[in-house]
């Protein structure tokens, strides 16, 4: 396996940064006066993506002594990685500009947010396409994986911003009605896509069949089963969903009674699940062996 936990960190941070920007931009459309919440998103976005990109550049198996080779990819636009570099650069430029504008004017132009949203979606989906473009790994389905990573990026990015808001006690999420829906919808959608990924992989036949079956087995009953069921499914998906249900019920009875401690635990669990998803998808994948 060429890719490992370091690449999982890159994929996680890139998705998190994209999701954080998306929340900040969407909040600008719905509640422009939630300046502290939006600022948190604009701060997290470029930092997360930058740290993740540095990890990619200096990964020991990808050129620790020559990280500038990363930019050499721009010479080959037939490569998915080359387009990934372009997407990352564009996102970094837009997110930094948005942050500077937000710091100076306490708001951002809608056109800038729209462009940033497009770049954020591209970054989130690219992290799945990067794996899907690698030949010989049935688990890395080029159709399901980008969609799964897109949903997970939204969950992780939203969770990072909301966690910062709860810890910093600056609020701002109360007027964002869509967050109540996404807090319940995103984990369900992610479960559906995880099941779809496993089902599609398990259905692979022919010479790739054994590698596909072994990949699924690694996750559901093999060496990564505990991390998959307990870490990803229970901690990363089921627990945040249940906590959000409880908080929603509390908010209906008494908006002020909704527990911030419960919210912090839930958002932290989402982040754990976001990282584990990428780590498990990388580590459990078994390559097709050609004789």
């Amino acid at each position: 396996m060429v890719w490992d936990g370091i690449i999982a960190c890159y994929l996680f941070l890139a998705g998190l940064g994209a999701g954080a920007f998306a929340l900040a931009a969407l909040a600008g459309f719905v509640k422009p006066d939630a300046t502290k919440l939006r600022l948190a998103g604009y701060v997290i976005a470029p930092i997360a993506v930058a740290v993740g990109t540095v990890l990619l550049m200096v990964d020991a198996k990808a050129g620790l002594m020559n990280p500038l080779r990363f930019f050499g990819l721009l010479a080959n636009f037939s490569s998915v990685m080359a387009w990934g570099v372009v997407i990352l650069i564009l996102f970094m430029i837009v997110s930094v500009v948005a942050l500077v504008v937000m710091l100076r004017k306490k708001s951002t132009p809608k056109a800038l947010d729209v462009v940033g949203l497009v770049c954020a979606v591209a970054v989130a989906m690219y992290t799945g396409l990067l794996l899907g473009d690698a030949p010989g790994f049935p688990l890395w389905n080029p159709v399901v994986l980008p969609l799964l990573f897109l949903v997970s990026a939204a969950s992780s990015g939203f969770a990072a911003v909301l966690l910062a808001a709860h810890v910093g006690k600056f609020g701002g999420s109360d007027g964002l009605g869509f967050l109540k829906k996404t807090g319940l919808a995103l984990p369900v959608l992610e479960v559906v896509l995880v099941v779809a990924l496993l089902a599609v992989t398990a259905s692979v036949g022919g010479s790739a069949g054994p590698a596909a079956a072994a990949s699924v087995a690694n996750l559901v009953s093999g060496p990564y089963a505990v991390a998959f069921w307990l870490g990803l499914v229970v901690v990363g998906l089921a627990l945040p969903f249940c906590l959000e249900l409880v908080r929603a019920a509390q908010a209906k009875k008494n908006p002020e009674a909704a527990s911030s401690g419960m919210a912090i635990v839930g958002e932290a669990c989402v982040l754990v699940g976001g990282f584990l998803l990428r780590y498990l998808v990388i580590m459990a994948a078994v390559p097709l062996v050609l004789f």
Side-chain angles (χ1 to χ4, degrees):
M1 173 66 66
V2 176
W3 289 340
D4 52 21
I6 295 179
I7 298 302
C9 289
Y10 155 66
L11 298 177
F12 169 65
L13 289 171
L16 185 153
F21 186 96
L23 176 54
L26 291 172
F29 300 145
V30 180
K31 190 179 180 184
D33 59 339
T35 54
K36 290 185 178 180
L37 181 76
R38 297 184 64 209
L39 181 59
Y42 288 132
V43 169
I44 291 171
I47 291 177
V49 174
V51 172
T53 303
V54 169
L55 288 176
L56 178 65
M57 291 168 61
V58 301
D59 174 42
K61 296 182 179 65
L64 176 62
M65 303 306 295
N66 185 22
L68 291 180
R69 65 183 293 190
F70 177 80
F71 296 100
L73 292 169
L74 292 173
N76 179 21
F77 279 100
S78 63
S79 167
V80 170
M81 293 188 72
W83 285 104
V85 173
V86 173
I87 290 170
L88 289 172
I89 291 174
L90 288 176
F91 178 80
M92 287 297 299
I93 292 173
V94 173
S95 61
V96 169
V97 170
L99 174 58
V100 172
V101 173
M102 189 69 187
L103 287 171
R104 290 174 61 88
K105 298 184 177 181
K106 305 301 181 183
S107 65
T108 53
K110 289 186 177 181
L112 180 62
D113 285 336
V114 170
V115 172
L117 275 172
V118 173
C119 291
V121 170
V123 168
M125 296 193 72
Y126 162 70
T127 58
L129 288 171
L130 177 63
L131 296 182
D133 187 58
F137 290 87
L139 184 62
W140 297 347
N141 184 276
V143 175
V144 180
L145 204 58
L147 295 176
L148 175 57
F149 278 13
L150 174 62
V151 173
S152 179
S155 294
S156 300
F158 286 17
V161 176
L162 293 175
L163 182 60
H166 289 302
V167 172
K169 298 182 179 180
F170 52 78
S173 62
D174 297 337
L176 302 176
F178 68 89
L179 287 178
K180 298 178 182 178
K181 298 178 181 179
T182 56
L184 296 173
L186 289 177
V188 173
L189 185 54
E190 195 168 340
V191 168
V192 171
L193 289 171
V194 168
V195 172
L197 178 64
L198 295 178
V200 169
T201 304
S203 67
V204 172
S207 59
S215 298
V216 174
N218 278 344
L219 288 173
V220 300
S221 61
Y224 298 102
V226 173
F228 176 76
W229 291 110
L230 181 60
L232 175 58
V233 176
V234 175
V235 175
L237 296 172
L239 185 56
F241 177 81
C242 292
L243 291 175
E244 189 63 28
L245 276 179
V246 173
R247 292 188 71 247
Q250 289 179 341
K252 284 185 178 181
K253 295 179 180 179
N254 182 3
E256 296 181 358
S259 172
S260 61
M262 193 180 298
I264 290 173
V265 172
E267 308 304 352
C269 287
V270 171
L271 295 179
V272 170
F275 171 75
L276 280 177
L277 171 66
R278 289 152 180 83
Y279 179 80
L280 291 170
V281 164
I282 289 176
M283 301 306 295
V286 176
L288 171 64
V289 178
L290 298 176
F291 295 100

